[in-house]
Amino acid sequence: MKRHGLLRARTAGRLSTGVLTGALLAGLMAATQPAAAAPSASAAAATVPSWLVPLNFQDGESDARHSCTGIYLSPARTLATPDCFTGMSKNDGVWEYDAAGKMTGGSAGFTRYRSHPQFNATTRQAGVSVFYDQNPAPAGRAVLAGPSDTYLYTAGSKATFYSWTGTDAQESVRVRHSEQVVVRSGSDCAALLGRSLPQGTICTSPAPDAAPVAAADQCFGDAGGALVAGGKLIAVSATSTSGCVQNGVRLYTAIPTYRAVVESWTRDVDIEYRDSGSIFGREPEDMIDTLTPEYAWANNVDNSGFMYLPFENFVTLGGDLNRNGYTDLLVRHNNGTLYRIPYDVSHNPGSRVSLGTGWNRYNKLLAVRDLSGDGQPDVVGRDAYGYLWMHPGTGTGGLGARKKIGVGWAQYNAIVGRSDLSGDGRPDLLVRDAAGDLWLYRGNGGGGFLPRTKAGAGWKAFNAIVASGDSDHDGRQDVIGRTSAGAAYLYNVNNKGSFVAPKLLTASNWKKYVSLS
């Protein structure tokens, strides 16, 4: 079996020293950044959870550098904040700190990440991102607080803040930092910060009996730090990578507000785990090719195929259904049995796992990362009566009992979806009617939809439409349309319910595929 994917060259290096300059946290925690200084004694002696990761990002062209703290979610996904990153281009790379060797090393080029589309750099609202990389597996992983855990951050509650601090943004040395804090009320936060908190954020101040926090422990590396209470991650530091905390008052993004989004991102994994978007094309001889824009633009789609499936009539990327950090394929046998095929870090398939029989009752089948709102990937099918059904993922590799989520869907000749297409963080579905109009069904986060809205016209020109994730790595979800001549066009969502101008991927190379999924 032949494979192809985007494999990123890994290099090692050491960051030079210097002082970062940049904009301060606008209107919230403005403070002058301190000159480089030795980490405090308290920080040097601190302990942090094993799942806390020190990160440095660097733009190789402008030399912009950002230091922040990441939170291990899975072998291929780390939770961070949106302005940890310096961009998405061949010039951008991540440098991870080796605590044992006391130096940084990492990989250069094409940093991959997803940020919440509603992130506001000024107010710090929706300050969550997921960074795509192969991470050394720590002893454990963070337990994310859920909607029933909001009591952990009621006013007056005590918690512990953890981060990997540094002397400046370009310094290779990072040290563990922890401090005891108290969650403040919304009115207290407004008074301390000079403005009201945006939705989904909280703030803390130092605990009355806590030791004073050195200035060096309130700037570099603070962004993305973890607020922990009751053994759970309840919030992530929303301090800007170019700003500092003032008087120990920290602003955070509350995890319960965004848990489903973060969980969904963590399960949205491609064959190449550091990638963020690809689809399958079936050749007439039942060979399945993996298709990405990089291959299409190079006019070099590998016609040797990724796998051979002569007895299956459907294959798609299902996301991480069994929570091992890597993708699972979903394939439907001609006899109607649906199988899950797990993959590992080396892109090797495991043994097939049956997910049940009777799946030929669906004339349309697709994998959506999380319609139900529980953070797990789901499978959606349309039957001959036009009913739409959802099979929720269990988180252990299986699928739960199906639930009817729509009627009247027989009128649509195309149904596509994978993740968020509207810009609200929730997965959606797109459909095309007989006139060629495209309609958006926004997911409501609970397995249903809001009233449909028109997303475009003229889509009758395509004989195949598929949602591919973020295939061009610009941080936006994509939809790909193919014409009868084999031309493929990539449409980026505009996060407002429609699309920006399309990009031509290839003029004719995709004509040979009998189906795309």
Side-chain angles (χ1 to χ4, degrees):
M1 180 176 66
K2 296 186 179 181
R3 294 185 295 272
H4 56 270
L6 303 178
L7 298 180
R8 186 175 56 188
R10 301 185 71 85
T11 60
R14 186 174 178 85
L15 300 180
S16 61
T17 58
V19 179
L20 173 71
T21 59
L24 299 177
L25 176 57
L28 285 177
M29 300 181 189
T32 303
Q33 295 181 348
S40 69
S42 61
T47 60
V48 299
S50 63
W51 40 260
L52 211 63
V53 184
L55 296 173
N56 289 68
F57 292 86
Q58 178 181 5
D59 186 307
E61 186 173 89
S62 67
D63 203 37
R65 307 188 187 201
H66 296 169
S67 295
C68 64
T69 298
I71 295 166
Y72 175 91
L73 296 173
S74 78
R77 298 292 184 265
T78 298
L79 179 64
T81 58
D83 52 5
C84 281
F85 314 103
T86 55
M88 286 186 181
S89 77
K90 64 182 179 180
N91 299 312
D92 304 301
V94 60
W95 303 82
E96 298 181 16
Y97 182 68
D98 178 1
K102 295 185 178 180
M103 65 181 296
T104 52
S107 53
F110 295 104
T111 297
R112 308 282 195 241
Y113 61 91
R114 285 185 67 180
S115 296
H116 199 289
Q118 296 177 342
F119 169 62
N120 186 311
T122 300
T123 67
R124 316 305 298 170
Q125 186 174 11
V128 286
S129 293
V130 170
F131 162 56
Y132 298 1
D133 197 14
Q134 173 62 25
N135 306 308
R141 64 181 66 183
V143 177
L144 305 184
S148 63
D149 296 316
T150 54
Y151 72 94
L152 292 172
Y153 56 80
T154 56
S157 300
K158 292 186 178 181
T160 304
F161 174 72
Y162 299 101
S163 66
W164 280 88
T165 189
T167 56
D168 62 67
Q170 301 184 45
E171 176 59 59
S172 61
V173 176
R174 301 286 291 277
V175 295
R176 301 170 179 85
H177 170 71
S178 67
E179 62 182 85
Q180 301 302 307
V181 296
V182 174
V183 179
R184 306 298 295 264
S185 67
S187 58
D188 285 349
C189 292
L192 291 167
L193 299 172
R195 63 185 300 173
S196 298
L197 293 185
Q199 183 180 6
T201 59
I202 61 176
C203 87
T204 67
S205 63
D209 55 349
V213 179
D217 297 332
Q218 299 185 67
C219 282
F220 306 107
D222 185 274
L227 186 65
V228 176
K232 296 182 179 182
L233 177 69
I234 62 173
V236 176
S237 172
T239 302
S240 168
T241 56
S242 58
C244 297
V245 174
Q246 189 173 23
N247 300 322
V249 180
R250 299 182 185 275
L251 186 70
Y252 306 84
T253 303
I255 287 296
T257 304
Y258 299 98
R259 175 174 173 166
V261 173
V262 171
E263 290 273 13
S264 179
W265 290 345
T266 307
R267 312 288 167 246
D268 192 4
V269 189
D270 286 65
I271 290 291
E272 165 52 60
Y273 56 81
R274 287 170 297 200
D275 211 344
S276 56
S278 59
I279 60 175
F280 292 132
R282 179 182 289 272
E283 298 185 30
E285 299 80 13
D286 296 321
M287 195 72 75
I288 308 297
D289 296 343
T290 53
L291 307 179
T292 67
E294 280 82 354
Y295 287 113
W297 284 326
N299 290 318
N300 187 30
V301 175
D302 183 358
N303 60 15
S304 64
F306 177 84
M307 66 182 70
Y308 182 54
L309 295 175
F311 305 111
E312 288 76 20
N313 56 38
F314 172 78
V315 58
T316 194
L317 288 164
D320 182 14
L321 286 158
N322 64 348
R323 298 177 67 95
N324 71 342
Y326 307 106
T327 197
D328 297 286
L329 260 58
L330 293 175
V331 299
R332 181 175 60 187
H333 194 276
N334 291 335
N335 65 13
T337 301
L338 188 69
Y339 292 95
R340 176 177 63 85
I341 304 177
Y343 275 73
D344 63 17
V345 62
S346 300
H347 318 132
N348 295 318
S351 300
R352 293 186 175 202
V353 178
S354 174
L355 297 178
T357 60
W359 288 82
N360 277 339
R361 61 188 167 189
Y362 298 123
N363 56 33
K364 181 63 181 178
L365 198 61
L366 63 154
V368 183
R369 293 304 175 260
D370 179 30
L371 273 180
S372 63
D374 62 0
Q376 309 303 329
D378 306 313
V379 176
V380 172
R382 180 189 62 183
D383 65 21
Y385 302 100
Y387 296 149
L388 198 68
W389 301 87
M390 178 183 68
H391 294 258
T394 62
T396 57
L399 296 173
R402 70 175 187 168
K403 174 185 176 182
K404 187 188 295 184
I405 59 173
V407 297
W409 287 63
Q411 64 181 304
Y412 301 124
N413 54 43
I415 305 174
V416 301
R418 170 165 165 166
S419 194
D420 174 31
L421 296 167
S422 63
D424 62 2
R426 301 188 182 110
D428 312 302
L429 293 184
L430 280 168
V431 298
R432 182 183 61 185
D433 63 22
D437 291 335
L438 204 66
W439 299 89
L440 173 68
Y441 281 86
R442 290 177 170 85
N444 64 9
F449 302 98
L450 302 177
R452 72 176 191 173
T453 57
K454 193 170 183 179
W459 286 72
K460 201 171 184 178
F462 299 119
N463 63 8
I465 304 172
V466 63
S468 62
D470 180 17
S471 295
D472 59 351
H473 315 302
D474 67 349
R476 296 173 183 264
Q477 297 298 286
D478 309 320
V479 173
I480 294 176
R482 183 194 61 177
T483 70
S484 59
Y489 292 86
L490 184 147
Y491 288 79
N492 288 136
V493 301
N494 62 6
N495 288 332
K496 297 178 181 178
S498 189
F499 303 92
V500 299
K503 307 171 186 177
L504 176 65
L505 300 182
T506 180
S508 60
N509 272 10
W510 287 14
K511 185 175 182 178
K512 66 181 178 182
Y513 297 114
V514 297
S515 66
L516 302 176
S517 58

